[in-house]
Amino acid sequence: MAGIGFSYKKYIAVIALQIVLVMTVLDVTLVNVALPVLAERFSISSSMSVWVITIYQLVITMLLLPVSSIGDLYSYKRTFLVGVTVFTISSGLCAASQTFTMLVIARALQGIGAACVMGVNIALVRLIYPREILGRGMALNAMCIAIATAAGPTIAGGILSVASWHWLFLINVPLGVIAFIIGLRLLPDNPKKERSERFDWVSAVENMVVFGLIFYALGNFTRKGDIVLSAVMLTTGLVVGAFYLRRQFNHKQPLLPVDLFKNSMYTMSIVTSVCSFIAQNVTMIALPFLYLNSYHFSEITTGLLMTPWPLATMIVSPLAARYVERHNPGATAAVGMCVFIAGVVLLLTAGSGHEVWNIAWRMAVCGVGFGMFQTPNNIVMVMATPVNRSGGAGGMQSTARLVGQTLGATTVSCVFALALTTQSAVGVCLIISIVFAAVAGFFSYVRTLGHKKELHM
């Protein structure tokens, strides 16, 4: 009975992980909707208000791998609890902000907390769930992200219709307190190691400089900022990146897990993850312009049309997780990308019929395909790494997602800048999405061959 009780408590601990995961995702979708309100409240331009989103995502990207390494070396649990504490306090500071500068600083602090949580989330899931049902934990993550993504705009609209923008951040405070209490009592500690390594501060600084400069420069290009300054920052980031990589190759336990790339299954999983998120983000960013500007749907209808995608992903992800407990996850991911491509092709060839339901079911097909792909791909990525490197693997998984999303957004900006019409730009974006999805599907299929060889060894 003691064993059963202990197991039950471990599963309850998952609640803490999912509460904070939903909070960190919602804090992008909620604030997106509130940008016009914030611009009016602080008397700033729309382009300036976007900094509330940019600084949050930039800080997360810069810190993901360093905090993941801290979790590997010391404690996933303590890193998570620090992250929850910082995120909760900074949410209160966001709500209390009297100036836009204060709000941006508070959002940067939120990014630090979110990075701590995201960097060790997968590692804690791996410690909680037995190997044979790990896919269910990964699917729960995907499902919570999909729910938060789908519900975010509706929740934001509901809050703003009855209360001030401050409540978009204040709702995090009680949730953060609940997650902290559960996590403190029930989250597991790291497995004991024979010897401990020291944290590599030089690599951490290099990592922040590289990702910070490169991602800021790419964002500046898309915002049509100072081209010379952006080029200098991008070049500097790449030069520092060369020294950073060299240091990682010579390190026993590198911050950027380059040693894990010796495992072909892990490498292919990272490549497929980046390509899949490029494909997803290119499509998700481009389609609202088509619905609003070319099909002349209202903002509400456009929002509803974007919802079937994450809802379908939410439904399919746990089913895919159960399926890959007995079947090859690489093959399942490859099939998922094929379904995703079919959905994008259906959107591309929708013709002149612009009925809402005619578009909605095609969006759902894309979501089904992505749900079939995402969880199996994450399972392969995590299981290809040692348990004591789960933090680095999880951090790299989140980094791959952010890299894919950023490159996808940059691609859309470039296409729209060069295209003559909105409809032609969206068409090109959907073709690009198909190409990257095909690459992800190909590498997923190649992994199935490697899996078969392992079975015969």
Side-chain angles (χ1 to χ4, degrees):
M1 291 296 291
I4 294 175
F6 178 70
S7 177
Y8 175 74
K9 289 180 180 180
K10 287 177 67 177
Y11 292 131
I12 292 295
V14 175
I15 295 174
L17 301 182
Q18 302 311 324
I19 286 175
V20 184
L21 184 62
V22 168
M23 286 163 58
T24 56
V25 175
L26 277 178
D27 255 52
V28 176
T29 54
L30 291 180
V31 178
N32 272 339
V33 176
L35 288 182
V37 176
L38 295 174
E40 181 179 354
R41 163 63 180 82
F42 293 107
S43 301
I44 55 175
S45 65
S46 298
S47 58
M48 181 65 73
S49 70
V50 176
W51 265 105
V52 178
I53 302 293
T54 302
I55 192 68
Y56 180 72
Q57 295 179 320
L58 189 63
V59 170
I60 292 174
T61 306
M62 292 168 63
L63 293 180
L64 261 176
L65 292 177
V67 297
S68 298
S69 178
I70 290 173
D72 279 335
L73 295 175
Y74 304 111
S75 171
Y76 302 131
K77 177 179 179 177
R78 287 201 294 270
T79 303
F80 175 85
L81 293 175
V82 168
V84 174
T85 302
V86 172
F87 190 89
T88 303
I89 292 174
S90 57
S91 294
L93 292 175
C94 285
S97 296
Q98 298 298 310
T99 66
F100 184 69
T101 300
M102 182 179 175
L103 178 59
V104 170
I105 293 172
R107 283 287 283 174
L109 291 174
Q110 265 195 323
I112 296 173
C116 291
V117 171
M118 292 181 184
V120 298
N121 178 275
I122 298 300
L124 286 168
V125 168
R126 189 173 184 180
L127 290 181
I128 291 171
Y129 282 85
R131 180 187 178 95
E132 60 271 15
I133 60 170
L134 175 62
R136 301 180 192 182
M138 306 293 285
L140 184 59
N141 271 12
M143 186 173 68
C144 286
I145 291 173
I147 291 173
T149 302
T154 304
I155 294 174
I159 291 174
L160 292 174
S161 66
V162 298
S164 68
W165 62 269
H166 305 81
W167 287 95
L168 297 175
F169 300 105
L170 284 174
I171 59 173
N172 290 330
V173 176
L175 293 174
V177 172
I178 293 171
F180 182 88
I181 294 173
I182 296 174
L184 180 64
R185 292 173 60 90
L186 300 177
L187 283 176
D189 293 311
N190 288 31
K192 292 184 179 180
K193 294 188 291 186
E194 294 181 3
R195 63 175 187 175
S196 60
E197 301 285 342
R198 298 183 64 181
F199 183 67
D200 187 355
W201 287 100
V202 174
S203 292
V205 172
E206 289 178 336
N207 179 87
M208 288 186 282
V209 170
V210 170
F211 281 100
L213 289 179
I214 291 177
F215 274 71
Y216 182 82
L218 290 175
N220 216 30
F221 278 125
T222 62
R223 291 188 294 269
K224 298 180 180 180
D226 189 325
I227 296 178
V228 175
L229 177 62
S230 299
V232 170
M233 294 176 68
L234 182 60
T235 303
T236 304
L238 293 173
V239 171
V240 176
F243 288 100
Y244 175 51
L245 284 174
R246 183 178 178 181
R247 182 178 180 85
Q248 299 312 293
F249 278 114
N250 296 323
H251 205 279
K252 291 182 180 179
Q253 190 163 342
L255 194 72
L256 180 70
V258 290
D259 56 324
L260 297 180
F261 287 101
K262 296 176 183 177
N263 185 320
S264 61
M265 296 287 280
Y266 181 81
T267 302
M268 285 186 283
S269 297
I270 290 292
V271 172
T272 57
S273 185
V274 172
C275 289
S276 69
F277 279 105
I278 291 175
Q280 183 197 47
N281 228 34
V282 165
T283 307
M284 291 287 276
I285 293 174
L287 285 175
F289 289 97
L290 180 69
Y291 300 155
L292 284 167
N293 299 337
S294 297
Y295 294 175
H296 304 294
F297 290 139
S298 67
E299 287 83 356
I300 295 176
T301 302
T302 298
L304 289 173
L305 282 174
M306 301 304 293
T307 304
W309 185 321
L311 285 179
T313 300
M314 175 189 72
I315 294 169
V316 171
S317 288
L319 299 177
R322 292 292 186 102
Y323 182 80
V324 297
E325 288 174 11
R326 297 177 177 270
H327 300 85
N328 188 326
T332 306
V335 173
M337 274 294 99
C338 290
V339 175
F340 175 85
I341 291 172
V344 178
V345 170
L346 287 168
L347 289 169
L348 190 61
T349 59
S352 58
H354 300 154
E355 294 83 2
V356 171
W357 286 108
N358 188 42
I359 296 172
W361 74 265
R362 297 165 194 258
M363 294 289 288
V365 172
C366 293
V368 168
F370 205 80
M372 290 177 65
F373 165 83
Q374 188 178 22
T375 300
N377 186 67
N378 290 345
I379 291 171
V380 174
M381 195 185 309
V382 172
M383 296 309 296
T385 61
V387 174
N388 68 330
R389 299 297 303 283
S390 296
M396 195 62 207
Q397 179 179 310
S398 298
T399 301
R401 183 183 74 247
L402 290 169
V403 168
Q405 290 173 339
T406 301
L407 292 177
T410 304
T411 300
V412 173
S413 297
C414 293
V415 171
F416 272 75
L418 296 173
L420 297 176
T421 65
T422 297
Q423 198 151 356
S424 63
V426 174
V428 171
C429 287
L430 294 185
I431 292 172
I432 292 173
S433 175
I434 291 170
V435 171
F436 278 102
V439 173
F442 170 76
F443 279 106
S444 292
Y445 173 73
V446 171
R447 283 183 310 190
T448 66
L449 303 179
H451 181 80
K452 290 176 182 177
K453 288 181 181 178
E454 291 177 3
L455 291 177
H456 291 293
M457 289 180 65

